[in-house]
Amino acid sequence: MTFSDINVENLEVITTRRLRLRRPMEQDADAIFERYASDATVTKFLGWPTHESVEDSDNSFKATYSNVLWNKHKVGPYLISDLESGMLLGSTGLDFLGDGNKDCCCAWTGYVLAQDSWGQGYATEALEAIIMLARHLQLKELNAECHADNVVSQHILTKCGFQRLDDKTRAIVFPNLGNEEPQPVLRFVHYLTQD
């Protein structure tokens, strides 16, 4: 996929062959909650707790995270939806490293998809669009982390050109695993060289 393969409308909307990535809005909280944020299987390996109410979803995409990034950087989290049906499939996005300054040339990404969207290549397609966006923004590297047992995400990251940094393993608490002990996290990086 090249940048010409995706359509970017003022960075708030990105379309690919099958997907539409767009900035979250407050009215999306119900769909976020119902489609993936309240699903314990989906959120098992995520760093945020499974949402117990629509208010949890509303708060996570409101002033606490989404709007702050969008207002500061003109990019941030994106909701992933099916281009034809409009059905919400999940979310992805960019978050900036360091002091949150986009000029630092590095960003973090991740993704989460509703269970009925698994195994259809949506994560790969959305991640490839985020990589193209990062290149468009002239970032030098894109980082991602996943739980050491999340083999599917490790495969998707590697398939999209990320390299595992063996010396960058750390441990964090995953609130949905039912264990307060920090769990191993693997770090991946995609060096965004302009070919």
Side-chain angles (χ1 to χ4, degrees):
M1 181 183 293
T2 65
F3 200 69
S4 62
D5 295 332
I6 63 174
N7 180 19
V8 177
E9 303 167 18
N10 74 17
L11 301 183
E12 289 194 14
V13 177
I14 301 169
T15 55
T16 67
R17 186 173 60 83
R18 300 181 300 158
L19 304 175
R20 182 174 192 224
L21 283 62
R22 67 168 176 82
R23 180 180 179 172
M25 308 306 268
E26 288 183 37
Q27 61 267 30
D28 294 318
D30 286 336
I32 292 166
F33 178 76
E34 299 217 1
R35 291 289 293 142
Y36 62 89
S38 63
D39 186 329
T41 302
V42 169
T43 60
K44 177 180 178 180
F45 289 125
L46 296 181
W48 44 267
T50 304
H51 294 181
E52 296 179 10
S53 69
V54 173
E55 290 75 28
D56 290 342
S57 297
D58 187 42
N59 290 335
S60 72
F61 277 96
K62 231 177 186 177
T64 56
Y65 180 66
S66 180
N67 286 337
V68 171
L69 288 173
W70 276 98
N71 291 337
K72 186 169 186 173
H73 303 296
K74 308 302 181 226
V75 294
Y78 286 87
L79 293 183
I80 306 166
S81 60
D82 182 274
L83 187 59
E84 287 186 21
S85 72
M87 179 189 292
L88 179 64
L89 305 176
S91 63
T92 187
L94 290 176
D95 192 359
F96 293 92
L97 296 172
D99 63 358
N101 182 350
K102 187 170 70 175
D103 296 330
C104 72
C105 299
C106 302
W108 288 94
T109 193
Y111 47 84
V112 58
L113 292 173
Q115 273 193 75
D116 61 6
S117 301
W118 292 358
Q120 299 178 52
Y122 294 137
T124 300
E125 190 169 330
L127 187 55
E128 287 174 344
I130 292 297
I131 291 166
M132 292 297 107
L133 175 62
R135 282 192 172 119
H136 175 73
L137 296 171
Q138 299 181 337
L139 298 176
K140 292 193 179 0
E141 69 181 53
L142 192 56
N143 296 273
E145 290 182 325
C146 69
H147 189 283
D149 291 341
N150 192 343
V151 178
V152 174
S153 279
Q154 292 176 49
H155 173 74
I156 292 166
L157 289 165
T158 304
K159 180 179 179 180
C160 289
F162 283 77
Q163 301 170 28
R164 181 173 161 198
L165 299 178
D166 290 328
D167 62 332
K168 298 293 184 185
T169 303
R170 65 184 183 118
I172 64 171
V173 173
F174 285 82
N176 306 313
L177 291 178
N179 184 345
E180 296 297 318
E181 294 296 316
Q183 301 288 308
V185 177
L186 305 177
R187 181 167 169 206
F188 291 80
V189 65
H190 192 304
Y191 297 106
L192 303 166
T193 57
Q194 304 298 324
D195 299 324

